[in-house]
Amino acid sequence: LGKMYYLADKYQLDILKESVTQEVSSRKMVTEKVIEAAQVAELNVHLEKFSSAVFHKCTSFVRDNPESVLQIFDNEEAGEERSYTLHRLMARTNRTEPKQPPPPVCDNCKHEPCLHGEVLTENNFVVGALIWHISDLSFPGLRRTIRKIDGHFVYSYNQHVQETHPKLVKYKFLCK
């Protein structure tokens, strides 16, 4: 893949470069190949995107598989080229920020940030959301959204299916 990326870079084939980078990112790293992959990244450091993609794959593996890294240390002889590569990889992993998990999406409104208390609109409608009517004293209580049809919302209320009028300012999300 490194040679293919080099040729794509040399002949300015951006689509091929992107394909190679995506291929690197999609591959599964295994314990037996992490040092070899880090060496490929070091040898191709002049191909920045390719090298970064390989290093990212390696550092993610190191961060996510500490037991496997200990196994690699146990199998490598100190002072050999592969142990130097492993040392540099560990240092790079230490300098790399861990990938932050995406913020949690609200179970009710399916949005991040949560839409608790926000008015239900055509743009933020989701099926199965718990909503409440702002001012309808004749039907107080919670409703659950079912579907959207031609600007109208269908919801359930006390196990009955009802439909709203196109003007939706009456309903708000109840998430928390």
Side-chain angles (χ1 to χ4, degrees):
L1 287 174
K3 290 177 184 177
M4 187 181 296
Y5 189 91
Y6 168 77
L7 291 172
D9 188 52
K10 181 177 178 178
Y11 294 107
Q12 300 177 353
L13 302 170
D14 293 336
I15 294 173
L16 182 57
K17 288 183 351 184
E18 184 62 33
S19 293
V20 171
T21 304
Q22 286 178 355
E23 178 63 26
V24 167
S25 298
S26 71
R27 295 234 174 146
K28 183 179 186 311
M29 183 60 66
V30 293
T31 305
E32 297 77 23
K33 297 291 183 180
V34 72
I35 293 177
E36 183 181 334
Q39 288 174 326
V40 167
E42 288 177 341
L43 289 171
N44 292 288
V45 74
H46 59 285
L47 304 171
E48 290 180 36
K49 286 186 179 180
F50 174 76
S51 180
S52 291
V54 176
F55 272 132
H56 177 72
K57 203 68 177 168
C58 292
T59 57
S60 295
F61 178 84
V62 168
R63 192 174 304 284
D64 296 342
N65 300 284
E67 295 84 16
S68 296
V69 174
L70 291 175
Q71 178 186 350
I72 295 169
F73 271 108
D74 192 40
N75 294 337
E76 293 300 319
E77 196 65 42
E80 296 294 319
E81 182 58 35
R82 288 172 54 88
S83 80
Y84 291 134
T85 301
L86 182 57
H87 180 87
R88 288 188 297 269
L89 177 59
M90 295 300 291
R92 180 180 281 271
T93 303
N94 185 52
R95 291 188 306 266
T96 305
E97 290 291 321
K99 188 170 117 181
Q100 296 297 321
V105 174
C106 176
D107 289 332
N108 185 54
C109 68
K110 310 294 187 245
H111 285 84
E112 196 296 307
C114 176
L115 298 178
H116 175 71
E118 296 294 320
V119 174
L120 177 67
T121 68
E122 191 140 359
N123 293 331
N124 65 18
F125 178 88
V126 292
V127 173
L130 197 58
I131 58 173
W132 59 281
H133 196 283
I134 297 170
S135 61
D136 188 353
L137 299 177
S138 60
F139 293 106
L142 304 176
R143 291 133 169 98
R144 180 120 2 229
T145 59
I146 298 175
R147 67 183 161 272
K148 181 170 51 169
I149 303 172
D150 299 326
H152 294 260
F153 293 111
V154 179
Y155 64 87
S156 64
Y157 174 73
N158 285 341
Q159 299 179 353
H160 298 290
V161 174
Q162 296 184 349
E163 187 175 324
T164 69
H165 296 281
K167 215 171 185 185
L168 301 172
V169 293
K170 303 179 208 165
Y171 297 94
K172 290 189 175 185
F173 285 100
L174 183 65
C175 300
K176 297 178 182 180

